[in-house]
Amino acid sequence: MEELALHILDLLENALAAGARHILITIEEDEGRDLVTIEVRDDGRGMGAEALQKAVDPFYTTRATRKVGLGLPLLQATAAQCGGDVFLESRPGQGTRVVATMQLSHPDLPPLGDMGATIAAALSREEPVELVYYHRRGQKEFKFSSTWLQLHLGEIPLNCGPVLDWVQRYINKGVAELYGGEGK
Amino acid sequence: MIKSLEELQKIKETQLEAIRLREADQKAKIVVGMGTCGIAAGAREVMSAILDELGKRRLTNVAVTQTGCIGLCAQEPLVDVILPGKPRVTYGKVDANKARQIVAQHIVNGIVISEWVVNRGEE
Ligand SMILES: Nc1ncnc2c1ncn2[C@@H]1O[C@H](COP(=O)(O)OP(=O)(O)OP(=O)(O)O)[C@@H](O)[C@H]1O
Ligand code: FES
Ligand SMILES: [Mg+2]
């Protein structure tokens, strides 16, 4: 994938497919440790020990429409190529935690990319999901909570164009400020 | 930040007004396929362009949703448009530019762009 944000959307789609009602995305960029850590936690149906072992195997998938599952193997490949790794932790009925690490200064590290579009895409659905995105870069941090937004909107559903368009612009503005405002 | 919140407040007011004016079941629906190969083929950019277009046109009566893989990989990114009372129309190999035209023609004017259609629901 060309952006970290596209890998993250993939993780969000896995969480949503597992029936998650709550999702927490954390990105931490630590220049001192030369490390970027991406974590997605969900409270979906989770995986047993055996499924967990196989999850990064491209020939393992519980999907019915195709014989390979690509999301996790692609993330694993990107992490490995950038001097990092992927850790999975999961319990049936409790949820799943995926942590990917990469070397921040690695020349192959994909750009963060369009986090606004990623979050808006994940929120474009009828079934409600409470999603929190927390991003820390050095001393600066940005946080977005769909719960806060839904409270603010009241009876208006999140999944209408003007609202989700606002979400993508709002997040991209917030993330740009983490980078000193010079863009994504 | 303050400017963003004012903007959100405005969207909220337009939206509430729209809810007052229409019956709930008269909503058009757009569905974008978001499986991994959809994403790799550009489904997120398609979704993003649709949201931008709906936002600019202040089209509040459209529900935007997604679906997982439907096994039509070669045609990704896939976009379904369902107008109230009309059968589902599926567009294939959509990009951001086509997505904007689908909003302008199909959603706004009700005109199906036949050359991009890969499937149609039952009448
Ligand atoms: N958050 C999660 N919760 C529960 N199960 C998961 C989660 N993430 C992955 N899995 C399991 O691991 C399998 C492999 O995931 P992966 O993302 O690699 O492929 P996929 O989702 O099946 O297909 P693709 O990502 O190519 O559309 C999934 O089919 C699912 O069974
Ligand atoms: S997402 Fe492409 S075949 Fe399923
Ligand atoms: Mg997946």
Side-chain angles (χ1 to χ4, degrees):
Chain A
M1 296 276 181
E2 284 153 35
E3 302 173 8
L4 295 177
L6 288 172
H7 282 299
I8 293 170
L9 177 55
D10 232 351
L11 296 178
L12 299 177
E13 294 298 323
N14 281 350
L16 294 168
R21 306 297 301 263
H22 297 86
I23 301 178
L24 172 62
I25 308 153
T26 313
I27 303 179
E28 276 199 67
E29 298 180 51
D30 186 336
E31 279 187 356
R33 293 167 64 205
D34 192 21
L35 188 71
V36 51
T37 309
I38 297 168
E39 175 175 336
V40 174
R41 240 176 226 258
D42 70 65
D43 62 351
R45 75 176 70 88
M47 287 173 268
E50 205 184 324
L52 193 59
Q53 279 236 311
K54 291 192 250 166
V56 289
D57 178 349
F59 297 105
Y60 175 75
T61 178
T62 51
R63 62 159 61 264
T65 45
R66 123 163 91 67
K67 290 214 169 46
V68 290
L70 296 173
L72 290 172
L74 285 175
L75 176 64
Q76 170 79 57
T78 298
Q81 195 182 356
C82 302
D85 207 347
V86 174
F87 307 92
L88 295 170
E89 204 181 312
S90 189
R91 280 224 202 120
Q94 310 241 318
T96 301
R97 187 171 157 246
V98 181
V99 182
T101 59
M102 281 156 238
Q103 203 186 323
L104 198 52
S105 65
H106 200 285
D108 294 334
L109 184 74
L112 176 64
D114 196 339
M115 277 305 292
T118 281
I119 304 287
L123 290 176
S124 49
R125 60 206 315 275
E126 254 132 41
E127 313 74 25
V129 57
E130 297 197 12
L131 183 153
V132 172
Y133 166 37
Y134 179 73
H135 193 147
R136 189 156 67 202
R137 186 170 187 269
Q139 301 298 314
K140 294 185 181 175
E141 55 182 43
F142 171 72
K143 187 179 165 188
F144 168 79
S145 155
S146 74
T147 316
W148 166 83
L149 180 60
Q150 190 62 73
L151 273 174
H152 192 82
L153 290 173
E155 62 184 295
I156 299 167
L158 278 188
N159 71 323
C160 77
V163 171
L164 289 179
D165 182 41
W166 179 86
V167 168
Q168 56 179 356
R169 283 182 290 114
Y170 177 80
I171 289 174
N172 283 337
K173 207 189 280 175
V175 171
E177 276 163 21
L178 293 178
Y179 290 81
E182 81 264 25
K184 283 179 252 170
Chain B
M1 270 324 154
I2 304 223
K3 211 172 139 225
S4 289
L5 293 181
E6 280 169 5
E7 206 186 312
L8 181 62
Q9 191 58 33
K10 244 179 248 156
I11 293 170
K12 184 178 169 184
E13 280 155 20
T14 330
Q15 203 75 25
L16 281 174
E17 185 60 27
I19 289 173
R20 269 192 291 275
L21 289 175
R22 69 159 189 265
E23 291 144 56
D25 57 355
Q26 284 186 331
K27 232 175 175 182
K29 196 162 141 180
I30 301 183
V31 188
V32 180
M34 270 310 157
T36 293
C37 53
I39 295 171
R44 192 202 58 184
E45 284 67 24
V46 165
M47 175 67 89
S48 180
I50 290 171
L51 298 178
D52 181 59
E53 204 62 36
L54 293 174
K56 277 191 187 129
R57 294 168 182 270
R58 296 181 195 276
L59 292 175
T60 52
N61 59 334
V62 184
V64 187
T65 67
Q66 59 180 287
T67 179
C69 162
I70 54 167
L72 257 179
C73 219
Q75 301 287 348
E76 301 273 1
L78 290 159
V79 174
D80 286 347
V81 175
I82 305 137
L83 295 183
K86 294 267 171 65
R88 165 191 305 261
V89 174
T90 305
Y91 293 101
K93 295 191 180 153
V94 179
D95 58 20
N97 185 25
K98 286 181 180 173
R100 287 179 193 279
Q101 292 183 59
I102 290 168
V103 172
Q105 287 303 314
H106 195 157
I107 298 283
V108 175
N109 297 326
I111 300 166
V112 178
I113 309 175
S114 301
E115 49 176 319
W116 303 337
V117 172
V118 292
N119 201 7
R120 282 177 201 250
E122 305 279 301
E123 193 78 46

